[in-house]
Amino acid sequence: MAPTESRFARMSRRAAITGAAMATMALAACGGGSKGAVEGDMGLGAPEGAKVTVVEYASVTCPHCALWQKNTWPAFKAKYVDTNKVRYVFRELPTPPVDAATAGFLVARCAGPDKYFDVVHQLMATQQEMLTSSPRDWLLRTAQAAGLSEQQFNDCVTDKAAVAAMEKRVQAAQAQGVTGTPAFYVNGKEVITPGSGEGASLADLSTAIDAELAK
């Protein structure tokens, strides 16, 4: 394992461990989590404060998240995001291997707001490369495709302030009561498709969204 990979692995593991240790305090303080915006939110579609906000909690190393991204996201985006009917918010919740997921989200943020979702979607679409090569090679290829040099990549995934900010976002997700990915909320209410490992179906999301739009 390269020295840089070892550093970002240790840092991201620390973030996950600390976040878990503080989850109880966060839950007690927030009373189940806030329905409003969270620092670090990445959004598309309608502006903040829209009548309907759809929040997805996901991880770039979560196979079910990747399936939802592949099978449901295009139609959901065309129906609700591109038309500005809803504000879509993506919230990061790293899943095993947590070090790779954390580093992936750091790379997406280092690529810049305009490329954030492109990087996230690319990582989900190429998850198998994490297994067939190595997590670091997979992440570095994605970072370079987004315009980052190897040195910028190294700096990005070992940025202590960025890891600390990720830790706060993990705590906020735990305070919301999120226990798995992908998880979807429409105006603060979770939408679940029974029996689906891929997350909420477009039909179930549409039912919840359209009911809120009609109010």
Side-chain angles (χ1 to χ4, degrees):
M1 182 179 291
T4 298
E5 185 176 6
S6 178
R7 285 199 300 272
F8 80 65
R10 287 197 300 269
M11 291 170 63
S12 54
R13 279 198 294 271
R14 176 190 170 277
I17 292 168
T18 305
M22 296 185 68
T24 302
M25 288 186 290
L27 282 165
C30 298
S34 169
K35 297 180 182 179
V38 172
E39 186 175 354
D41 278 352
M42 302 301 290
L44 294 171
E48 191 173 323
K51 187 173 184 179
V52 178
T53 296
V54 178
V55 176
E56 176 186 4
Y57 291 88
S59 173
V60 293
T61 57
C62 161
H64 296 304
C65 301
L67 286 173
W68 190 88
Q69 204 68 43
K70 177 183 178 181
N71 298 330
T72 307
W73 167 252
F76 172 80
K77 180 175 180 288
K79 185 174 183 180
Y80 292 110
V81 180
D82 293 342
T83 57
N84 288 324
K85 289 183 178 179
V86 307
R87 177 165 179 77
Y88 166 78
V89 173
F90 184 92
R91 290 182 182 165
E92 304 155 348
L93 187 57
T95 57
V98 172
D99 56 342
T102 300
F105 285 132
L106 295 179
V107 168
R109 288 181 178 272
C110 287
D114 292 344
K115 296 181 180 179
Y116 175 86
F117 284 101
D118 291 338
V119 172
V120 167
H121 294 169
Q122 178 64 14
L123 288 171
M124 288 189 184
T126 59
Q127 277 180 3
Q128 284 302 310
E129 293 182 18
M130 177 178 61
L131 305 176
T132 57
S133 56
S134 74
R136 186 181 189 280
D137 290 344
W138 168 61
L139 293 164
L140 178 57
R141 280 194 296 271
T142 306
Q144 291 175 327
L148 299 178
S149 67
E150 184 167 3
Q151 184 59 55
Q152 287 174 317
F153 167 78
N154 291 339
D155 293 342
C156 176
V157 299
T158 57
D159 185 333
K160 293 181 179 180
V163 172
M166 170 72 73
E167 181 179 329
K168 290 183 179 180
R169 293 193 289 274
V170 169
Q171 292 169 21
Q174 292 168 330
Q176 177 70 27
V178 182
T179 58
T181 58
F184 296 86
Y185 291 77
V186 174
N187 282 357
K189 298 179 181 179
E190 188 171 11
V191 177
I192 300 174
T193 297
S196 173
E198 292 184 24
S201 70
L202 180 61
D204 288 337
L205 284 169
S206 293
T207 296
I209 291 169
D210 293 346
E212 291 297 310
L213 287 173
K215 290 183 179 179

